Amino acid sequence: MGDNDKKQRPKSVRWILNSVNFLISEWFIIGMGVFIALAYKFPNVAKNHGHIRADISIEYGAVAIIFLISGLNIPRQKLITQAAHWQAHVVTQVISFLITPSIAFGIAAAVRAAHNSNINDWILVGIIITGCTPTTVSSNVVMTRESKGNESLSLVEVSVGNILGAFVTPALVQMYLGKHTGFHYGNPTNDISLSGLYAHVMKQLGLALFVPLFVGQVVQFLFPSQVKYVLTKFKLAKVGSFCLLLLIWSSFSNSFASGAFKSVSHASIIMVCFLNVSFYLFFTVICFLLARFPALPDKFKFSRPDTVSIMLCGAAKTVALGVPLINAQYHSDQSKVGLVSIPLVLYQGEQILVAQLLVPLFRRWITAEIEANKSDLEAKPEEIAAAPVVAAAAAAAAEYNADEKSQALSYSSSGHSSTTPVEPGVIGNLDQTQAKL
């Protein structure tokens, strides 16, 4: 249908079509609202051990589908290359385990020092635990893919972060909830073995991340053309995004089922919502500055795709490790589990919402660099085409020059150096020719 036909449509029809197109383009954000509403109305459906056994079907099944798609989509060599990208690992994990926990603790301490009776003290403990958790398992991989960022780097950061987090996060929580921090009430007084926590996290990482990723890589290696066709034909990237919505549904269902949101004041919920958005945006800015600090030379800056991966991974936090840690520490008091989980569950939803709004900006930023590089290549086609010719001519001249010098030396060594000089200007002219080429 041509542009003239579109202009001839009634204004109301055009408005309806534009609205429909907008709703389709923003299907993920609308889906978040729908699934949160379902979690509120029917919390027993998608809670752990609920009607659909979300602790298995979603925590393992949906996450496994996300990483199976990543395994089918990412070339094996690229994944191996990104595993050796130690600079990105250092930046991302320092942000995740040093910078964000200290900022979260400082904000929680400042709020507690205000002695506002409307703010629940256990909510502040939840803010600290949220800051100590590693990057989320699946959402940043999906968002990086949609942003045209370095998906393979995000996948490696997810693996590194959650393996480290299984050991580092409990230690950070014990440190920030120590006797002299002002939050000792949030640190269980009885000795708790964390072996169950480690076992749960390693089991989830193994079954939901490493196994499907390995299977996807094997299938891609054996059937490359068929895999490419399936990825394109069935739009598997959208399937991964839908699985992410299922994770949000399960997280909010658990919180609504436990009655956590009903046990705290509206002031506490509003504060947490604003703090979470502020945290995420501030952490994202920190990631950007560390990856592409303006004062650094370009050779020391990360590429734009790498920078987007670092921003999405460094600012994100996961419920996959945070919720098991909370359950391990407060398993004897389910009311405390619900309260402490509120900041983490809300952060999970808000970080995905904000990231989804940032994805178009990231995609345009990366695409602009690609288009600029393409324009530079198209602007100098003659120089690019002539480069191999110039290089070959220079090499030939250098070889000829070397032969002449060798012959001159050979002629001189035969006893004619004093009586028969080399032809004047030959070697010098050749040197000048090489320099011009």
Side-chain angles (χ1 to χ4, degrees), residues 131-330:
C132 294
T133 57
T135 186
T136 187
V137 173
S138 52
S139 64
N140 42 24
V141 176
V142 175
M143 299 299 179
T144 303
R145 183 191 308 140
E146 294 180 355
S147 302
K148 295 186 178 180
N150 192 339
E151 183 186 353
S152 57
L153 179 60
S154 291
L155 192 54
V156 173
E157 297 305 335
V158 164
S159 304
V160 173
N162 280 270
I163 291 174
L164 287 176
F167 302 95
V168 176
T169 296
L172 288 173
V173 170
Q174 293 299 315
M175 181 179 72
Y176 286 117
L177 300 183
K179 293 182 180 179
H180 304 292
T181 62
F183 294 97
H184 60 280
Y185 62 87
N187 196 341
T189 56
N190 56 326
D191 294 329
I192 297 175
S193 172
L194 296 178
S195 60
L197 169 65
Y198 295 146
H200 175 86
V201 173
M202 292 304 171
K203 179 182 177 183
Q204 184 177 38
L205 287 176
L207 295 179
L209 194 158
F210 295 120
V211 171
L213 178 64
F214 176 76
V215 171
Q217 288 285 288
V218 171
V219 173
Q220 181 193 148
F221 177 75
L222 296 176
F223 311 102
S225 58
Q226 293 89 337
V227 166
K228 187 176 181 179
Y229 171 79
V230 171
L231 287 171
T232 306
K233 180 69 175 179
F234 297 99
K235 301 185 183 300
L236 292 188
K238 300 295 184 184
V239 175
S241 299
F242 180 78
C243 290
L244 195 56
L245 291 177
L246 296 180
L247 281 173
I248 297 172
W249 182 29
S250 176
S251 298
F252 276 89
S253 293
N254 286 323
S255 295
F256 286 125
S258 65
F261 290 106
K262 296 180 179 179
S263 59
V264 295
S265 65
H266 294 296
S268 294
I269 298 296
I270 293 173
M271 180 202 69
V272 170
C273 289
F274 278 101
L275 271 182
N276 283 344
V277 174
S278 301
F279 276 152
Y280 187 81
L281 292 174
F282 184 56
F283 295 159
T284 302
V285 172
I286 292 176
C287 294
F288 177 81
L289 292 177
L290 289 178
R292 295 179 67 88
F293 192 70
L296 289 176
D298 289 341
K299 64 180 180 179
F300 293 114
K301 296 179 181 179
F302 289 92
S303 67
R304 292 190 181 187
D306 288 357
T307 301
V308 167
S309 173
I310 291 172
M311 286 192 290
L312 290 172
C313 291
K317 296 297 178 180
T318 181
V319 297
L321 180 64
V323 170
L325 174 63
I326 292 170
N327 287 327
Q329 288 201 331
Y330 308 105

Side-chain angles (χ1 to χ4, degrees), residues 38 112 165 309 323-324 367 387:
L38 289 175
R112 189 169 186 272
S309 173
V323 170
T367 304

Side-chain angles (χ1 to χ4, degrees), residues 98-110:
L98 291 181
I99 296 178
T100 58
S102 59
I103 293 175
F105 174 78
I107 296 297

